[in-house]
């Protein structure tokens, strides 16, 4: 929630500076022409564009939002999006571990309660929200039916990490698959929490720097313009 608030404040601050503060200085700089510093001209142009075509920008953003939402509602779009999410630095790894943790925890709990392996896998796979990971897990039911090990089937997908494969293999060989699945879930739960903390630790100052840097550029541009006006007056 906190990063979302920071991002919203950053966007509103930048838009407010360009759309309402910068235009107040246009009359002062109107007669300067090319004598104005390039940075000042760029900021003033940005303010004019935002003020004149802000409504068009809003329409474009709404159109993009609706397009993305409709695209995600399709099977192909959802699959492509979920696969790309896993490739995002830091965030993708957290999502992967979170989904695997849910699957492992469910399988471990069901097996420990006496549910069959085939049924446990089928139920646990439905707890996974990421389409790409769920598709990779779909190989397990046919593999179990033909007597293949879960660890081998998952290894062949080239999707899951060596830690996942090794812990499941140990559980299969020791006859304690339910315990190893639960342990895998615990390990990944802890790593998910650590990953979220690291991501927030990096994201929060990045948003603050973005907001502060952008506002600083606008202020510097206006000050440079005012100094140019004073120099010409002298």
């Amino acid at each position: 929630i906190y990063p979302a608030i920071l991002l919203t404040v950053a966007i509103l601050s930048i838009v407010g500076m360009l759309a309402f503060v910068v235009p107040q200085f246009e009359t002062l700089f109107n007669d300067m022409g090319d004598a104005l510093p390039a940075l000042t001209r760029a900021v003033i142009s940005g303010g004019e564009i935002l003020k004149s075509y802000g409504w068009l920008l809003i329409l474009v953003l709404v159109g993009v939002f609706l397009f993305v939402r409709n695209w995600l509602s399709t099977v192909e779009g959802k699959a492509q999006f979920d696969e790309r999410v896993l490739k995002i630095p830091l965030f993708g790894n957290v999502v992967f571990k979170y989904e695997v943790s849910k699957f492992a925890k469910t399988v471990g709990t069901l097996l420990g309660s006496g549910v069959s392996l085939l049924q446990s896998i089928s139920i646990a796979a439905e707890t996974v929200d990421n389409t790409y990971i769920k598709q990779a897990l779909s190989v397990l039911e046919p593999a179990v039916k033909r007597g293949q090990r879960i660890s081998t089937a998952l290894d062949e997908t080239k999707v899951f990490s060596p830690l996942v494969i090794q812990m499941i293999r140990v559980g299969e060989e020791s006859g304690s698959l339910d315990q190893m699945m639960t342990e895998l879930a615990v390990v990944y739960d802890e790593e998910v929490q650590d990953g979220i903390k690291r991501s927030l630790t990096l994201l929060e100052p990045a948003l603050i720097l973005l907001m502060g840097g952008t506002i600083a550029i606008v202020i510097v541009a206006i000050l440079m313009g005012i100094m140019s006006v004073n120099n010409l007056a002298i």
Side-chain angles (χ1 to χ4, degrees), residues 91-156:
F91 182 74
N93 195 35
V94 170
V95 172
F96 171 80
K97 291 177 179 179
Y98 174 68
E99 296 289 6
V100 173
S101 173
K102 287 194 298 181
F103 174 79
K105 185 182 296 183
T106 305
V107 171
T109 301
L110 292 174
L111 289 177
S113 302
V115 181
S116 67
L117 178 59
L118 190 62
Q119 191 173 3
S120 297
I121 292 173
S122 176
I123 295 173
E126 294 302 316
T127 66
V128 177
D129 297 317
N130 188 281
T131 308
Y132 183 73
I133 297 177
K134 182 180 287 189
Q135 183 64 31
L137 291 171
S138 66
V139 304
L140 291 182
E141 286 192 61
V144 171
K145 289 179 180 179
R146 62 175 179 265
Q148 187 179 21
R149 285 187 172 186
I150 295 177
S151 57
T152 303
L154 291 180
D155 192 21
E156 291 174 353

Side-chain angles (χ1 to χ4, degrees), residues 70-219:
N70 292 335
W71 178 62
L72 291 177
S73 65
T74 64
V75 176
E76 182 181 357
K78 182 68 164 58
Q80 292 179 3
F81 176 79
D82 286 345
E83 183 177 359
R84 291 171 183 172
V85 163
L86 297 177
K87 297 178 181 179
I88 299 175
L90 294 178
F91 182 74
N93 195 35
V94 170
V95 172
F96 171 80
K97 291 177 179 179
Y98 174 68
E99 296 289 6
V100 173
S101 173
K102 287 194 298 181
F103 174 79
K105 185 182 296 183
T106 305
V107 171
T109 301
L110 292 174
L111 289 177
S113 302
V115 181
S116 67
L117 178 59
L118 190 62
Q119 191 173 3
S120 297
I121 292 173
S122 176
I123 295 173
E126 294 302 316
T127 66
V128 177
D129 297 317
N130 188 281
T131 308
Y132 183 73
I133 297 177
K134 182 180 287 189
Q135 183 64 31
L137 291 171
S138 66
V139 304
L140 291 182
E141 286 192 61
V144 171
K145 289 179 180 179
R146 62 175 179 265
Q148 187 179 21
R149 285 187 172 186
I150 295 177
S151 57
T152 303
L154 291 180
D155 192 21
E156 291 174 353
T157 64
K158 306 300 180 183
V159 172
F160 299 92
S161 64
L163 175 64
V164 175
I165 305 301
Q166 290 298 328
M167 291 190 71
I168 294 177
R169 182 173 291 131
V170 170
E172 290 173 326
E173 293 176 351
S174 62
S176 56
L177 183 59
D178 57 335
Q179 297 177 10
M180 292 308 296
M181 280 292 196
T182 302
E183 182 63 26
L184 174 61
V186 171
V187 171
Y188 266 4
D189 273 342
E190 293 177 353
E191 293 189 8
V192 165
Q193 295 299 323
D194 291 339
I196 291 174
K197 290 178 182 178
R198 283 196 299 269
S199 300
L200 291 179
T201 301
L202 293 174
L203 183 61
E204 291 170 9
L207 289 175
I208 293 174
L209 288 174
L210 173 64
M211 177 175 62
T214 304
I215 293 175
I217 289 174
V218 173
I219 293 174

Side-chain angles (χ1 to χ4, degrees), residues 52-64:
S52 302
Y53 302 101
W55 60 272
L56 182 59
L57 178 60
I58 294 175
L59 289 179
V60 170
L61 291 176
V62 171
V64 170

